[in-house]
Each structure stands twice: as structure tokens, then as C-alpha cells.
């Protein structure tokens, strides 16, 4: 799994990671890897922990996810 490999390479646990994607398949990949998921989209995803319309909102969203 590429997300788990990336997490391992930077020495961060998947549970402490946030993955940002723009598709439902990205949200499924994040969930599968045990990561929090943020969707960058106009559409809501039931699999996402949060939704953003602008990357300017990302730091605030990540902080809110704990």
C-alpha cells in the first residue's frame, strides 16, 4: 500500500496522518491505511473526516481532527 509505505518512510504512524484527496477512492485508501481522510471537493464524502473547498482551510481542519 503506497500510503503505508509513505508513512513508514517518514516515520509517522498512519493513525497520526491525514491524507487529502479529491476522490472517493482516495478516501477509501486513507481509511484502509488507518489514516484520517480529508476530501478536497465540492461533493461531500461519507468516508471523509472533513471536507475542504480551499487549501487555505487545511491547517485549521487538520488541527480540528486532533
Amino acid at each position: 500500500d503506497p500510503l503505508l509505505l509513505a508513512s513508514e518512510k517518514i516515520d509517522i504512524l498512519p493513525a497520526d496522518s491525514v491524507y487529502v484527496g479529491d476522490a472517493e477512492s482516495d478516501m477509501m485508501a486513507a481509511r484502509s491505511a488507518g489514516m484520517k481522510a480529508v476530501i478536497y471537493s465540492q461533493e461531500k464524502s461519507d468516508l471523509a473526516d472533513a471536507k475542504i473547498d480551499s487549501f487555505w482551510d487545511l491547517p485549521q481542519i487538520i488541527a480540528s481532527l486532533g
Side-chain angles (χ1 to χ4, degrees), residues 17-41:
S17 302
V18 177
Y19 185 73
V20 179
D22 63 355
E24 193 73 11
S25 58
D26 294 327
M27 301 303 101
M28 290 188 288
R31 288 283 179 214
S32 178
M35 297 178 174
K36 295 172 190 77
V38 175
I39 192 161
Y40 176 70
S41 174

Side-chain angles (χ1 to χ4, degrees), residues 14-65:
D16 295 333
S17 302
V18 177
Y19 185 73
V20 179
D22 63 355
E24 193 73 11
S25 58
D26 294 327
M27 301 303 101
M28 290 188 288
R31 288 283 179 214
S32 178
M35 297 178 174
K36 295 172 190 77
V38 175
I39 192 161
Y40 176 70
S41 174
Q42 298 296 324
E43 304 297 320
K44 187 176 183 215
S45 167
D46 291 334
L47 295 176
D49 295 297
K51 178 180 112 39
I52 58 171
D53 298 323
S54 167
F55 281 104
W56 290 108
D57 300 330
L58 194 54
Q60 216 173 358
I61 293 294
I62 290 173
S64 75
L65 294 175

